[in-house]
């Protein structure tokens, strides 16, 4: 199974493609789509869409996994990230790739076994699971790989079935 993980954003969108076979993970590719701060916001959304669509078209993963949004304070940032997340989901939809969403708690639990793990712990476990020589940079890229690992571990499990049922009810 090939899973494409996405850490949504509008300045930096982390992405990572992971193969999961026989309980072993392998990073197939990873990186970040970056947009410049003073670029018109609509142009930033276009860049994100175009680049992710192109990468997804080349990669052709079995699934896209993306982190659910969680914001406590800055609503303006949340709205912009939500818009960027929307064009990301559109790219997957246009290519008919199923999308699965995970909370930060689910990602941390899947990667470290502990839902309250700190960011450095998640990044280090992601590096170890993928047998990488160093933690991918920027951090958004490592986060995207962790989201991909989360889906690979959840696929076919009770958690996966429960999430799929909940998503189908929300259609």
């Amino acid at each position: 199974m090939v899973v494409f993980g996405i850490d949504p954003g509008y300045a930096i969108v982390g992405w990572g493609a992971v193969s999961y076979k026989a309980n072993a993970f392998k990073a197939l590719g990873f990186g970040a789509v970056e947009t410049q701060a003073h670029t018109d916001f609509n142009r930033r959304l276009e860049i994100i869409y175009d680049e992710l669509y192109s990468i997804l078209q080349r990669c052709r993963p079995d699934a896209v996994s993306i982190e659910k949004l969680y914001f406590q304070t800055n609503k303006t940032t949340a709205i912009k990230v939500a818009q960027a997340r929307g064009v990301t989901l559109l790219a997957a939809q246009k290519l008919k790739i199923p999308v699965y969403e995970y909370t930060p708690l689910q990602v941390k639990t899947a990667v470290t076994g502990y839902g309250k793990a700190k960011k450095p712990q998640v990044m280090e476990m992601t590096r170890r699971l993928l047998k990488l020589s160093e933690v991918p940079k920027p951090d958004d890229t490592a986060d995207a790989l962790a989201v991909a690992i989360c889906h690979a571990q959840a696929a076919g499990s009770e958690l996966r079935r429960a999430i799929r049922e909940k998503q189908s009810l929300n259609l």
Side-chain angles (χ1 to χ4, degrees), residues 4-7 14-16 18 31 65 139-149:
F4 192 90
I6 298 173
D7 181 39
W15 65 269
V18 171
S65 60
D139 291 355
D140 309 80
T141 301
D143 291 346
L145 289 166
V147 174
I149 290 169

Side-chain angles (χ1 to χ4, degrees), residues 68 100-103 105-107 109-110 149-167:
K68 287 185 179 181
Y100 301 91
E101 301 176 42
Y102 297 93
T103 65
L105 178 73
Q106 289 170 316
V107 174
T109 302
I149 290 169
C150 178
H151 177 72
Q153 289 188 351
S157 69
E158 280 297 318
L159 170 64
R160 173 78 268 125
R161 284 188 287 280
I163 291 170
R164 194 174 15 224
E165 285 175 23
K166 182 179 179 190
Q167 287 176 339

Side-chain angles (χ1 to χ4, degrees), residues 6-75:
I6 298 173
D7 181 39
Y10 60 91
I12 302 173
V13 179
W15 65 269
V18 171
S19 170
Y20 183 64
K21 187 175 181 181
N23 291 327
F25 296 99
K26 180 181 179 187
L28 301 176
F30 50 87
V33 175
E34 299 187 37
T35 63
Q36 299 302 311
H38 299 293
T39 304
D40 175 71
F41 188 72
N42 290 329
R43 175 67 182 129
R44 291 172 93 170
L45 293 176
E46 180 182 28
I47 291 166
I48 292 166
Y49 174 84
D50 288 346
E51 289 196 32
L52 285 177
Y53 183 90
S54 176
I55 296 165
L56 285 167
Q57 194 171 38
R58 285 192 314 270
C59 183
R60 288 292 178 178
D62 299 303
V64 167
S65 60
I66 189 166
E67 193 169 85
K68 287 185 179 181
L69 292 183
Y70 174 74
F71 282 89
Q72 289 182 328
T73 55
N74 193 334
K75 289 185 173 132

